[in-house]
Amino acid sequence: MKEISFMLNDEPRNVQVEPNEILLDVLRNKLGIKSPKCGCERGDCGACTVLLDGKAVRSCLILAVEVENHNITTLEGISRAKLSALQEAFMEFNSFQCGYCAPGIILAVTELLEKNPHPSLEEIKESIAGNLCRCTGYTPIFDAIMSLTGKGTK
Amino acid sequence: MSLAHEFAYYKPLRLEEALSLKQQYGNKANILAGGTDLIVNIREGVLKPDLLIDIKRIKELSQLNWGNDTLFIGSNVTFAELIENEVVQKNFVLLHDACKTIGSTGIRARATLTGNICSAVPSLDSAPALLCYEAMIHCAGTGSKREIPVREWFLSPRKTALQEDEIVTGISIKRIPDSYGIYIKLGRYSGEDLAQAGWGILMIGDKQYRFAHCALSPIPKRAYHIEDLCNGNSLNADLIEKAIALIPSEINPITDIRCTQKYRMYISEIMLRRGLMAIQKRSSGKYIEPRKLMGDV
Ligand code: FES
Ligand code: FES
């Protein structure tokens, strides 16, 4: 066991981990952060997306020990004070049904909008090309995001 | 759940430490940079390392340096960094095209170019670009250093020229003045699929050409027959058809879960034809999105 410390949603956290423990599992099972989900455990579905130093990454492909001294942000972090505009838009446009994909998609798009507040539909699609949704058919997701870009729905 | 396999983990600050561990452990130690392949391989039991050497704190391996017309891409440099890099956008368009087709944003934020060539799978998207630019692979061992030309790098599927006690420190590519490139990839759907076929084309001036492919042979390769035919000629419909006729002498595809051998043969013709036409347009300053060439909307 090794003790690692890192920033989780702007709070310093310490946790004991073995080298073979996966970040996704440590977040969910040791730190009580339940928004990242396990879909495929092989990098294909994006349900486990978290922000690592501001960038959307797959927490199922990262060892917990790797994030020592780094910053991790999850949905819990971006909605601590209140729901973000993106989350509100997701509710308004019914952008999820089971909701399993939503935390990952919201984080990936949060990163996109930070870099590029007025993305085109194409750029939006590219940013979540690795986030699978089995319920919505994606249209309501694109609509919600487009409503924030100042370009209206498509 | 943690990974079923147990290993030790070390994150050295200096390359020498990583090298001496590699010398001690040989192939029982794996290098960890992005981990997007490595962790999957450990999870699936394909790799059972005793030690993971995480190289992300070794500063010299994170360099992305441009000087003397040469770009040095350290082994920690991710695809996301390459896509955002202006030197790559401007001078290495073929590589830039290829990087954009790899995985998804969440993968590209971690996955490295060096990790990609070390995985050495036949469908390696970055390989046609590196073959066309004639990249050098920089390797270090304890007390030794060598550079391997990329055409000698791939030995067989998943096997490279890297020795057990060596670490790749980076990849360098030299700018080729007056060149235009394009990478065309076909996957089963747009988004994060592996290549069913990939062709890289580089046109130098208006009469020199380089071609390379992936997913169409056991290892990614240059297409020298086609190059010999085309070199010295300007691009026109007749030349394109002659080049396409040589495809069967260049590739040796298999049938796998992604498509059949026959389809790979057939689609290569279309890819090469559209690729050559598109490169002509690029050289006259037209904006081309390679994904659209294969029907992606
Ligand atoms: S669980 Fe990580 S990408 Fe699917
Ligand atoms: S809402 Fe169910 S997977 Fe997206």
Side-chain angles (χ1 to χ4, degrees), chain A residues 2 18-22 25 29 40-46 52 55-58 60-63 65-70 108 111 115 122 125-132, chain B residues 1-9 11 32-37 39-40 43-44 52 54 56-57 80 84 100 103-110 190-192 289 291-292 297:
Chain A
K2 174 177 159 54
E18 296 287 356
N20 63 346
E21 282 186 87
I22 294 292
D25 305 322
N29 303 336
C40 66
E41 289 196 303
R42 44 175 299 130
D44 292 337
C45 75
L52 167 58
K55 297 200 181 81
V57 296
R58 315 280 165 154
C60 70
L61 298 182
I62 295 177
L63 301 173
V65 283
E66 288 181 76
V67 305
E68 162 124 70
N69 299 326
H70 288 273
E111 183 200 356
K115 277 201 288 205
E122 198 141 314
K125 285 185 179 173
E126 184 55 35
S127 78
I128 56 172
N131 290 76
L132 305 186
Chain B
M1 270 213 342
S2 47
L3 296 171
H5 179 71
E6 289 179 13
F7 45 80
Y9 169 91
K11 196 172 190 175
L32 170 62
T36 50
D37 275 332
I39 302 298
V40 176
R43 182 174 271 131
E44 291 177 353
L52 291 191
D54 186 341
K56 288 192 285 294
R57 272 205 310 186
E84 281 163 23
K100 287 198 294 183
S104 54
T105 42
I107 296 289
R108 295 193 290 263
R110 291 291 278 183
S190 58
E192 48 179 350
E289 173 54 61
R291 277 193 311 186
K292 306 253 185 224
V297 281

Side-chain angles (χ1 to χ4, degrees), chain B residues 12 21-22 46 60 93-94 108 135 143 184 193 196 265 271 278:
Chain B
L21 284 168
K22 194 67 182 131
V46 178
E60 58 188 290
V93 179
L94 173 46
R108 295 193 290 263
I184 316 174
D193 198 19
Q196 293 171 303
M265 265 307 176
M271 293 172 83

Side-chain angles (χ1 to χ4, degrees), chain B residues 196-214:
Chain B
Q196 293 171 303
W199 279 92
I201 310 174
L202 198 69
M203 188 164 110
I204 308 165
D206 56 2
K207 289 197 173 108
Q208 291 291 313
Y209 307 83
R210 291 179 189 171
F211 298 86
H213 54 78
C214 65

Side-chain angles (χ1 to χ4, degrees), chain A residues 95-102 105 132-136 141:
Chain A
S95 306
F96 46 86
Q97 291 174 29
C98 78
Y100 209 76
C101 64
I105 293 182
L132 305 186
C133 174
R134 296 295 81 165
C135 306
T136 64
I141 297 175

